[in-house]
Amino acid sequence: LPLLGNGHQIVGTDFNKWLMSMYKKYGDMYEINVAGSRTIMLNNEDLIGSMNVPSTKTKYPIRFQPTEGFKEYGLGGVGVANNNEFKSWKFNRQFFSQAMMTPSFNHQAIEWTIELWE
């Protein structure tokens, strides 16, 4: 439906169960449209891996289209997950990897988790 998309199929059911029924009906790849937002659902490890190759030569350079809400809050096209500009994304990814993957950070994160759990 133009405005609702597949939204009418979800009413009265659990969203995860609905997605599983779509998977059983359509297989590893299908498209849903909820409230005008088109989403391609991938349910195969090989399909997901080929989409997330960190290369400039990939067939899928733009993974996420920033919505108006993200742009309004200043989150559209920034960071690692929402960034569509390759040079900026590569810089952010390197910075994130260096900051988050250091052994001292991981050790400290584990200590904080234990402290908060206790």
Side-chain angles (χ1 to χ4, degrees):
L1 299 173
L3 296 176
L4 298 176
N6 296 94
H8 68 287
Q9 296 173 335
I10 303 169
V11 175
T13 184
D14 180 38
F15 187 69
N16 292 334
K17 288 181 183 177
W18 178 72
L19 288 176
M20 285 302 295
S21 71
M22 297 291 280
Y23 166 69
K24 289 175 184 173
K25 185 174 183 178
Y26 297 110
D28 289 337
M29 182 171 40
Y30 57 91
E31 174 184 347
I32 62 172
N33 189 328
V34 179
S37 178
R38 178 182 179 213
T39 304
I40 306 294
M41 304 301 287
L42 301 175
N43 298 302
N44 185 322
E45 185 177 328
D46 296 332
L47 294 172
I48 295 169
S50 66
M51 291 219 36
N52 291 313
V53 173
S55 171
T56 57
K57 294 175 179 51
T58 181
K59 293 185 218 175
Y60 315 102
I62 299 176
R63 293 167 180 88
F64 301 104
Q65 291 292 338
T67 62
E68 291 299 319
F70 277 117
K71 290 177 186 175
E72 185 175 330
Y73 285 109
L75 300 173
V78 298
V80 177
N82 294 327
N83 201 336
N84 292 330
E85 184 184 334
F86 183 73
K87 288 183 181 180
S88 174
W89 172 81
K90 187 175 179 181
F91 173 79
N92 290 342
R93 185 186 64 157
Q94 287 175 333
F95 180 78
F96 180 79
S97 295
Q98 289 175 357
M100 300 300 278
M101 297 300 173
T102 61
S104 62
F105 178 82
N106 290 335
H107 181 69
Q108 194 171 24
I110 291 170
E111 286 180 354
W112 289 345
T113 304
I114 292 169
E115 184 179 330
L116 289 172
W117 182 259
E118 290 174 348

